[in-house]
Amino acid sequence: MPHPLIGKPAPALTLPSTPDGTPYSLPIGQKPIAIFFFPKAFTTGCTKEACAFRDAKQDNIAFQGTGADELEVIGISRDAVEKQTRFVSEHKLNYRILSDADGLARKAYQVGKAAFGLIDGRETFFIGKDGLVKDVCDKMVDWNSHTKMVEKQLKLNATPTPTSTAAAPAAS
């Protein structure tokens, strides 16, 4: 069953951000956004997922738009900003991590639980420049599927490059 937010406006969020807890508001409707909710910093799966997004931003051309086409990658967990800042530093992450200590962002995005309800789920949301949720990946153990879904959505939602419409010179 598809996620209930697909095709709907993405919930607006303002959460404390790395490195210092300054509130950060999602740039919904301004650029494409990949938000990945992960259970806990420094765990094996979460570290692999975070590094997969880091590497994709650095090495994958689909992730490297400019201006309004530049993808904003944002990770969100319940961890305190101080722990997240260590996580960002240790793994050289090239994007923000936001702290959702009270779980309100997870609730707004309807992120479920995993492992028989024992831990927070792992879900990635792709939000288009129009502010609508385009797709959701909820695979708990296949963290590479999250970056693959984002790449697919970036290609599907890419702004077409303008083509020249100059008229050909008239034949004499």
Side-chain angles (χ1 to χ4, degrees):
M1 175 184 322
H3 194 283
L5 286 180
I6 292 177
K8 296 195 168 110
L13 294 177
T14 300
L15 294 170
S17 175
T18 55
D20 58 6
T22 301
Y24 181 76
S25 297
L26 297 180
I28 294 172
Q30 299 171 33
K31 57 173 58 181
I33 306 169
I35 302 173
F36 71 98
F37 287 87
F38 62 99
K40 194 171 183 179
F42 292 106
T43 58
T44 302
C46 296
T47 299
K48 287 182 179 184
E49 180 182 26
C51 291
F53 274 105
R54 175 202 63 206
D55 296 344
K57 272 188 61 83
Q58 182 176 314
D59 302 331
N60 186 329
I61 192 78
F63 279 67
Q64 298 172 4
T66 58
D69 289 325
E70 182 181 3
L71 175 70
E72 178 96 18
V73 173
I74 298 170
I76 300 177
S77 75
R78 290 184 191 260
D79 297 305
V81 172
E82 296 78 18
K83 182 177 182 181
Q84 291 174 335
T85 299
R86 289 192 316 274
F87 186 59
V88 167
S89 177
E90 186 170 314
H91 297 290
K92 298 176 176 44
L93 302 181
N94 50 7
Y95 53 83
R96 295 177 189 279
I97 302 287
L98 306 181
S99 177
D100 182 30
D102 58 11
L104 292 177
R106 282 184 171 276
K107 185 174 181 180
Y109 276 82
Q110 301 176 42
V111 176
K113 293 280 197 176
F116 306 105
L118 298 175
I119 61 173
D120 287 331
R122 177 186 321 282
E123 294 186 27
T124 299
F125 294 77
F126 182 84
I127 302 166
K129 285 193 304 187
D130 58 4
L132 299 179
V133 176
K134 303 293 186 183
D135 204 357
V136 179
C137 180
D138 63 357
K139 303 220 184 278
M140 189 63 187
V141 293
D142 182 5
W143 40 85
N144 286 322
S145 64
H146 294 256
T147 55
K148 288 177 185 171
M149 179 274 289
V150 171
E151 179 179 14
K152 176 183 171 189
Q153 288 299 318
L154 284 166
K155 289 176 180 177
L156 287 172
N157 292 283
T159 303
T161 53
T163 56
S164 176
T165 57
S172 35

